[in-house]
Amino acid sequence: MSQTDCTLKLLGITDTNIHLQDTRQDSYGKGSRRKKYLVITAELTYGLKRCPKCGSEDLRRNGHKLTHIHVAGPTGQPVVLELNKQRWRCPNCHRTCTATTTVVNANHTIGNNLSMYALQLSSQSLPLKTISTLTGISTNSVQRILNANIHPHASWKLPVNLCFDEFRSTQNSMSFICIDADTHKTVTVLSGRLNKDIKEFFLNQYTVTDRAAVKRVIMDMNASYRLIVHELFPNAIIIIDRFHVIQLIARAMDQIRVQCLKQLDVHSREHKVLKSHWKLFHKAHPNAKHTYYLYGLNEYSTEQNAIDLGISTSEEFKTAYQTYRDIHDSLMSGNFQELSTLITTYQRNGSVLDTAMATLRKNLSGVINAATSPYSNGPIEGVNRKIKLLKRSCYGFSNQANMFKRIYQLTA
C-alpha cells in the first residue's frame, strides 16, 4: 500500500479519483481567529464523456477549480483539503461543470465526515465554541450543520403512558415537556407551559381516538395540569409522582423542625440533634440496634434514640414526623387503603402540615394511583437533568429554537 493511500485512509477519504500531491503546515484566518492547519494538496479528476446539462458528448477540459474543504483529521489539529477539481466546458450549451466527490456535497466547503463529527460532539452537550475549536470551523458553520441535520418534530404516534413536567428554557421562561413513560422518548417540547398552549398542541396534533387511547398521565401536583388532563385524555388516570408526595410532607416537617430550633437553647442536646442530624428524620429505616458516635451531639447513640430525643421537644413536631413516616411507609409499600385513611382522617392542628395534607387531599386519587402503580416521573426528571447540564455547559441559550434542537438531539 502506498503512502498516499495510507494518508487518504487516515482522513477517511475513499474516493479513488482523488490523487494526493503534497502536505504542509499553514495558517488561515485573521487576528485571534488565525489557526494552524494541516493542508493537504490533492487533485480530483476522472473521465467525463457526456455533458450533465444537455447530454452532448463533445466535452472539453477547461482547467481546474481550487477549493478548500475542511475534513476530519486523525489528530486534534484541523485539516484542510486543498482540492483542485477538474472542470469541463460544453461547446454545445456553453456551460461548464466541475468534478464531484463523495467527500463533500456540491457547493459546500465542509466535508461530510467532519459534519458527522460535529454532530457527535454536539450530542455530548458541548457548547458550539468548543465544537468549533475541535473541528477547526466557525461556530456559525457548526450551527448551520445542526440546522441542516436536526429537525425537531412531535411524536407521530401518541404513547399510552405520558409524563408531564416543565423546565426553565430561555430568558427565565418556563417551557413544557412531555415524554413517553415507557420508552423515555420525547413526545413534544413546547415553548410555553400554559394550559391553552398544551391544549392547542394535543387537540391539533392528535385525533380523538389517539387521545382516548392514553391510559396514564404521570405528573407532579401542578393544579393547572390536573384541570386539562381529562379534557384531553378522557380515559386516562392521573398518577402523582411519589417523590413529590414525600417531598411535600418532608418540607412541611422541616419547617416545623426549624420553628422548634428557634425555641430551644443552642447548647441543649435537643437543639444539637435537630440542627446537626436533621437527615435522620428523613431516613426511612433508622437504626435502633447499633450505636454510632454522632458528631455535633458529641456522644454515642443509636439513630432511633437521637430521633426520639428530637421529637420529644414538641408535640407538633412529633405529629409531623409520625405523619411523614406513616405516609412514606404506606406509599412505598403500596398500601393504598392505609394511605387513603391517613390523608382523609388527618386532624388539623394549626401547623404548616395542614396545608400539605390539604394538598394531598385535593390530589387524593392521583396519590392513591401512585401507591398502586410502578410508574413515576423519574424518566422526565432525568431528561430535565440533561437539559440543565446542557444549559450549564453552553452557558445558557439566547435562541430558544436552537436550544430545542439540542434538546431534541439528546432525547429523541
Side-chain angles (χ1 to χ4, degrees):
M1 184 181 293
S2 66
Q3 185 177 356
T4 300
D5 294 335
C6 292
T7 303
L8 294 177
K9 284 194 174 184
L10 283 174
L11 298 175
I13 299 175
T14 57
D15 192 342
T16 57
N17 297 318
I18 295 179
H19 307 286
L20 187 65
Q21 295 177 339
D22 191 15
T23 60
R24 70 177 190 275
Q25 297 284 342
D26 207 342
S27 298
Y28 290 97
K30 296 180 180 179
S32 60
R33 295 183 179 181
R34 190 170 181 81
K35 299 178 183 178
K36 287 186 176 181
Y37 289 85
L38 174 62
V39 181
I40 299 176
T41 305
E43 182 183 13
L44 173 63
T45 181
Y46 51 85
L48 185 64
K49 297 180 179 180
R50 186 181 298 274
C51 176
K53 308 292 184 181
C54 66
S56 173
E57 297 184 358
D58 190 21
L59 276 180
R60 298 178 183 177
R61 292 179 179 272
N62 190 33
H64 293 78
K65 180 181 180 180
L66 181 62
T67 59
H68 295 82
I69 304 169
H70 293 268
V71 295
T75 63
Q77 185 178 13
V79 180
V80 171
L81 180 61
E82 199 173 73
L83 190 61
N84 264 315
K85 294 182 178 181
Q86 179 69 55
R87 290 174 61 88
W88 295 272
R89 185 177 184 277
C90 177
N92 182 43
C93 63
H94 304 290
R95 295 181 181 179
T96 59
C97 58
T98 308
T100 59
T101 176
T102 56
V103 174
V104 64
N105 295 331
N107 302 319
H108 284 66
T109 60
I110 298 176
N112 297 328
N113 288 345
L114 189 61
S115 298
M116 296 303 298
Y117 181 50
L119 285 173
Q120 292 175 4
L121 293 175
S122 66
S123 65
Q124 300 174 16
S125 300
L126 295 178
L128 295 186
K129 190 172 182 179
T130 302
I131 300 174
S132 172
T133 303
L134 294 174
T135 56
I137 58 179
S138 66
T139 55
N140 290 336
S141 297
V142 175
Q143 187 60 58
R144 282 195 294 269
I145 292 173
L146 299 182
N147 294 341
N149 292 275
I150 303 175
H151 306 287
H153 61 80
S155 176
W156 305 116
K157 183 179 179 181
L158 194 61
V160 176
N161 303 304
L162 299 174
C163 289
F164 280 11
D165 206 356
E166 63 273 345
F167 65 95
R168 193 174 301 278
S169 55
T170 56
Q171 300 176 357
N172 291 326
S173 62
M174 299 298 294
S175 299
F176 172 79
I177 184 171
C178 174
I179 71 168
D180 186 341
D182 296 309
T183 64
H184 307 169
K185 300 297 183 181
T186 302
V187 175
T188 187
V189 178
L190 303 178
S191 59
R193 63 168 178 172
L194 299 180
N195 283 0
K196 63 180 185 66
D197 300 326
I198 300 172
K199 288 172 61 177
E200 181 181 359
F201 167 76
F202 282 104
L203 292 176
N204 295 336
Q205 186 73 21
Y206 303 104
T207 64
V208 177
T209 305
D210 293 336
R211 290 186 282 108
V214 176
K215 296 180 180 179
R216 301 174 187 86
V217 176
I218 305 98
M219 62 183 190
D220 53 19
M221 283 174 280
N222 191 319
S224 61
Y225 293 163
R226 192 176 70 248
L227 297 176
I228 63 172
V229 166
H230 291 114
E231 182 180 352
L232 295 174
F233 316 108
N235 299 324
I237 62 171
I238 297 177
I239 299 176
I240 301 299
D241 183 46
R242 290 183 291 274
F243 169 78
H244 290 89
V245 175
I246 302 301
Q247 184 187 55
L248 179 67
I249 303 299
R251 285 179 174 175
M253 181 184 67
D254 276 339
Q255 291 182 28
I256 299 174
R257 178 182 59 83
V258 172
Q259 291 174 1
C260 294
L261 272 174
K262 296 178 179 179
Q263 300 173 3
L264 296 174
D265 181 14
V266 294
H267 300 291
S268 64
R269 296 171 67 237
E270 292 83 358
H271 186 280
K272 293 177 181 178
V273 169
L274 292 177
K275 182 177 179 64
S276 302
H277 299 281
W278 59 270
K279 291 183 180 180
L280 291 177
F281 300 96
H282 294 265
K283 202 167 184 178
H285 304 289
N287 195 324
K289 295 182 179 180
H290 300 90
T291 59
Y292 303 92
Y293 186 80
L294 301 181
Y295 293 93
L297 184 60
N298 297 327
E299 62 182 65
Y300 285 92
S301 173
T302 64
E303 293 178 345
Q304 187 60 55
N305 286 340
I307 291 174
D308 293 340
L309 180 63
I311 62 178
S312 64
T313 59
S314 169
E315 192 65 28
E316 183 178 330
F317 181 56
K318 182 178 181 180
T319 302
Y321 173 75
Q322 193 60 47
T323 303
Y324 166 79
R325 284 291 304 274
D326 292 342
I327 290 179
H328 179 278
D329 294 343
S330 58
L331 180 63
M332 301 310 293
S333 63
N335 192 342
F336 65 93
Q337 294 178 344
E338 180 183 353
L339 181 62
S340 177
T341 302
L342 287 170
I343 297 175
T344 55
T345 60
Y346 172 79
Q347 300 295 324
R348 298 175 61 89
N349 56 13
S351 66
V352 293
L353 186 62
D354 296 346
T355 304
M357 295 301 292
T359 303
L360 293 183
R361 195 176 292 114
K362 290 179 182 178
N363 297 273
L364 182 60
S365 60
V367 175
I368 299 302
N369 292 333
T372 58
S373 173
Y375 288 96
S376 72
N377 248 16
I380 201 168
E381 295 294 345
V383 171
N384 286 346
R385 174 66 177 174
K386 289 183 179 180
I387 295 174
K388 290 180 181 179
L389 178 62
L390 175 67
K391 288 179 59 180
R392 189 182 301 115
S393 63
C394 296
Y395 301 96
F397 287 85
S398 59
N399 189 310
Q400 193 177 73
N402 291 340
M403 179 181 180
F404 284 2
K405 288 176 182 177
R406 298 293 298 273
I407 293 174
Y408 181 79
Q409 186 185 26
L410 292 175
T411 60

